[in-house]
Amino acid sequence: MKRELIAGFSVLVFLTSCEHKKEEVAQKKAVCITDSLAKIISIDTVKTTNMQDELTLSGEVSFDENRVVKVYPFSSGQVTDVRVSLGDKVSKGQVLAVMRSADVAGSYTDLSATNADLSIAKRQLAQTEYLYKNGISSERDYTEAKENYNKAQAANTKIQEQLSINGHGNTSASGQYVIKASESGYIVEKAVTPGSFIRQDNAASMFTISDMKDVWIWANVFESDISKVKQGYAAKVSTLAYPGKVFPGKVNEVSSVLDPDNKVMKVKITLPNPNMLLKPEMFTSVVITNSEQTQSVTVPASSIIFNDSKNFVVVYKSKCELEVREVNVIKTVDNVSYLSSGLKAGEMLVSKNQLLLYDALTEE
């Protein structure tokens, strides 16, 4: 009799437990999106797009070499004064440096000599012309005097042109040579100091002036990543100087050879620089983004829930028909997650505040 009672009680407990479990399952299935919850969530549609890949490179800022003016000395001499520093803003015609040149002083000496020769030749020509017209001098004498005058005039003109070309009118008979800016901009390179001696065979420029309206970013690509970078790929440039600020651009040029020193390939990115934020020699981080031909299911990265070493999403079918589904993420690029399984294009999912629904659907 006791055994029968115990068996009956066990059956009753089992049935009661089953009823509780059925009620719990029913409660879990009854999770719905209320009107107040609908205001704080977002629903997105699953899409199929080309996969994108990102490559992070290191680089540095350089001035646009197509928009610079290099200032060269036209005569040898010694620099006596430098009036600008690296990074200074200069205006067209502003004095950059002053030098003393023996070549300039010698040219002025030659100019004085040719002026004297020209004056003598001019007087001789006038006298010979007077005598020739009065029948005292021969035509040969007159022609010879005219040729001498022309030669003296040509020699004088040559020296004047040399002074004009070599000094642009910024020279004096004492040998002083004033170097001025030929364009407005910023001093991005400076290769002289007071006391520097400039030789005629020196091919280096004294100053480089750039307007800095555009800058170049030179990024380094290692040999293993060369196939991942092509001309036209999108680029995002960031610097230590401006945390959180991204400068968008495109790859304009890809080098055909590796740098012999560090064995990397150089890629160039041209960026506008309207506020002069980017300065030459700044270090940069460059993220190159390219679109692959392979297609994949994509969802907003914000919709992914990571829990217990797995990735989940909340699938939306209707306000009261929601489902937690596991997905496999291939990679995440630019706030987009690419999936290998778990969802199909056209399905909908909750992409904002989905954790509230996830907790409600998965609570035990």
Side-chain angles (χ1 to χ4, degrees):
M1 186 69 179
K2 287 183 178 180
R3 291 181 179 178
E4 291 178 357
L5 288 173
I6 291 172
F9 181 74
S10 299
V11 171
L12 181 62
V13 170
F14 176 77
L15 292 174
T16 304
S17 176
C18 289
E19 289 297 325
H20 282 304
K21 288 183 179 179
K22 287 181 180 179
E23 288 178 5
E24 289 178 5
V25 172
Q27 286 176 1
K28 286 184 180 180
K29 290 183 179 179
V31 174
C32 293
I33 298 175
T34 62
D35 292 340
S36 59
L37 186 59
K39 296 178 180 179
I40 63 172
I41 66 171
S42 296
I43 297 173
D44 278 284
T45 303
V46 180
K47 300 176 182 179
T48 300
T49 60
N50 289 337
M51 292 181 65
Q52 288 189 335
D53 196 9
E54 284 188 344
L55 179 65
T56 302
L57 309 172
S58 62
E60 65 178 16
V61 180
S62 175
F63 50 83
D64 186 344
E65 294 182 4
N66 294 327
R67 300 176 64 96
V68 299
V69 175
K70 291 186 177 291
V71 180
Y72 290 92
F74 293 94
S75 298
S76 62
Q78 188 173 29
V79 178
T80 59
D81 187 19
V82 178
R83 300 185 182 179
V84 293
S85 300
L86 191 65
D88 284 356
K89 185 177 182 180
V90 297
S91 302
K92 185 176 181 179
Q94 181 177 333
V95 176
L96 305 179
V98 179
M99 59 185 290
R100 292 290 301 275
S101 171
D103 292 341
V104 171
S107 295
Y108 274 98
T109 301
D110 294 340
L111 180 62
S112 297
T114 56
N115 282 336
D117 292 341
L118 180 61
S119 178
I120 293 171
K122 185 176 182 180
R123 286 199 304 269
Q124 290 178 344
L125 176 61
Q127 292 173 0
T128 306
E129 184 179 10
Y130 174 78
L131 295 174
Y132 172 69
K133 288 182 178 180
N134 288 277
I136 301 173
S137 177
S138 65
E139 182 179 357
R140 178 181 177 181
D141 293 336
Y142 173 65
T143 303
E144 185 177 346
K146 183 183 288 188
E147 289 177 355
N148 290 336
Y149 172 77
N150 291 336
K151 288 179 182 179
Q153 190 175 44
N156 182 261
T157 302
K158 178 182 177 181
I159 298 299
Q160 289 182 358
E161 289 178 350
Q162 285 179 346
L163 284 170
S164 176
I165 294 171
N166 291 343
H168 297 285
N170 300 313
T171 58
S172 65
S174 63
Q176 180 173 279
Y177 177 16
V178 179
I179 312 296
K180 294 183 179 180
S182 54
E183 294 292 340
S184 299
Y186 295 85
I187 302 294
V188 295
E189 285 183 348
K190 171 177 167 286
V192 294
T193 56
S196 299
F197 189 79
I198 308 299
R199 299 183 321 208
Q200 287 183 337
D201 59 350
N202 187 3
S205 61
M206 297 177 69
F207 304 95
T208 300
I209 302 173
S210 172
D211 60 11
M212 294 294 291
K213 292 181 179 179
D214 292 321
V215 294
W216 288 353
I217 308 296
W218 287 106
N220 302 318
V221 183
F222 289 103
E223 192 171 350
S224 57
D225 297 323
I226 288 178
S227 61
K228 300 177 183 179
V229 181
K230 294 182 180 178
Q231 187 174 352
Y233 281 2
K236 294 178 291 185
V237 179
S238 56
T239 64
L240 293 174
Y242 311 107
K245 185 173 182 59
V246 176
F247 301 87
K250 286 186 177 181
V251 177
N252 300 97
E253 183 180 319
V254 178
S255 177
S256 300
V257 296
L258 297 182
D259 189 302
D261 295 327
N262 48 27
K263 303 300 180 183
V264 296
M265 184 182 74
K266 297 284 187 179
V267 296
K268 184 182 75 177
I269 301 156
T270 302
L271 295 180
N273 192 28
N275 297 321
M276 308 300 170
L277 297 179
L278 298 173
K279 317 292 185 184
E281 307 300 328
M282 270 187 175
F283 287 106
T284 64
S285 176
V286 180
V287 178
I288 305 293
T289 305
N290 66 289
S291 297
E292 302 172 359
Q293 296 300 320
T294 306
Q295 289 194 330
S296 172
V297 172
T298 59
V299 298
S302 60
S303 66
I304 302 295
I305 301 168
F306 184 76
N307 186 32
D308 196 21
S309 301
K310 296 179 181 179
N311 294 303
F312 301 92
V313 295
V314 177
V315 179
Y316 175 89
K317 296 180 180 179
S318 67
K319 284 189 174 182
C320 291
E321 193 175 357
L322 306 168
E323 176 189 349
V324 173
R325 192 180 301 175
E326 184 180 352
V327 294
N328 292 319
V329 179
I330 302 173
K331 59 184 175 181
T332 299
V333 177
D334 201 18
N335 295 322
V336 176
S337 293
Y338 298 88
L339 309 181
S340 60
S341 63
L343 289 172
K344 295 180 180 180
E347 290 188 289
M348 293 186 291
L349 76 165
V350 183
S351 60
K352 181 181 178 182
N353 289 324
Q354 70 276 11
L355 193 59
L356 300 173
L357 297 170
Y358 176 81
D359 291 339
L361 291 167
T362 56
E363 68 179 357
E364 296 178 358

